[in-house]
Amino acid sequence: MASERTLAIIKPDAVVANNIGNILAIIEGKKFSIKKAEMLRLSKQKAEGFYAIHSDKPFFSNLTDFMSSGPIFVMVLDGKHAIQRWRETMGATNPAEAGPGTVRNLYGTSIERNATHGSDGPQTAAFEISYFFPGYKMAK
Ligand code: CMP
């Protein structure tokens, strides 16, 4: 298969804990290619737009408060099966259920403060990449 691209976010909990470098080391160790990267802080409104698919969930307000609480580090990762491989590298959404050595097991502390985000499929990846990097080409 040709390579594909996914959006990865290092969330405010992992940024404030100085874990950007540790997480990038894992990403590079797994042979992802980092195509774009930016440190930024989301407004509450921009966090709500990003997570709009979860707007009816009970955790939406807390989630978007948290995601706008401090800087995040946003990346486009490229590689074969990048979407699924980044999800495996992160581990389960809830760090308590994430396997040993996964990013969320190592650096997440709760289901909300779970260190990283990754796109969950090709359509989501296209939306999420364009949300942060408008005009960025998905195909090589
Ligand atoms: P993420 O991969 O960024 O996608 C949506 C986020 O919502 C998820 O990681 C979690 O941080 C958060 N989330 C999912 N389920 C719950 C929950 N039950 N309670 C609180 N936060 C949740």
Side-chain angles (χ1 to χ4, degrees):
M1 138 188 217
S3 70
E4 66 181 7
R5 291 172 182 180
T6 191
L7 188 85
I9 302 178
I10 302 178
K11 295 188 179 185
D13 57 326
V15 172
V16 81
N18 279 351
N19 282 323
I20 293 177
N22 291 327
I23 293 169
L24 292 185
I26 292 173
I27 287 170
E28 293 192 324
K30 300 266 182 184
K31 308 293 180 207
F32 290 100
S33 171
I34 300 170
K35 293 293 184 187
K36 299 282 281 185
E38 187 177 348
M39 179 88 102
L40 58 94
R41 183 163 178 174
L42 288 173
S43 64
K44 171 88 168 162
Q45 190 180 26
K46 188 132 188 198
E48 287 171 350
F50 182 73
Y51 281 119
I53 197 165
H54 295 303
S55 60
D56 58 346
K57 306 271 172 56
F59 56 82
F60 182 66
S61 179
N62 283 347
L63 173 66
T64 52
D65 277 348
F66 165 61
M67 288 300 290
S68 57
S69 68
I72 61 173
F73 192 81
V74 188
M75 289 165 279
V76 175
L77 304 183
D78 179 278
K80 284 194 177 160
H81 304 288
I83 295 171
Q84 181 60 25
R85 283 205 308 118
W86 173 233
R87 292 179 69 75
E88 289 168 6
T89 302
M90 291 191 295
T93 305
N94 186 346
E97 295 163 9
T102 61
V103 173
R104 285 166 167 164
N105 174 274
L106 290 167
Y107 304 118
T109 53
S110 72
I111 195 163
E112 180 183 277
R113 305 171 80 84
N114 63 352
T116 50
H117 168 84
S119 310
D120 66 6
Q123 285 181 328
T124 320
F127 165 74
E128 293 184 350
I129 289 170
S130 69
Y131 198 78
F132 285 103
F133 302 106
Y136 185 70
K137 282 210 193 94
M138 288 295 288
K140 278 194 166 172

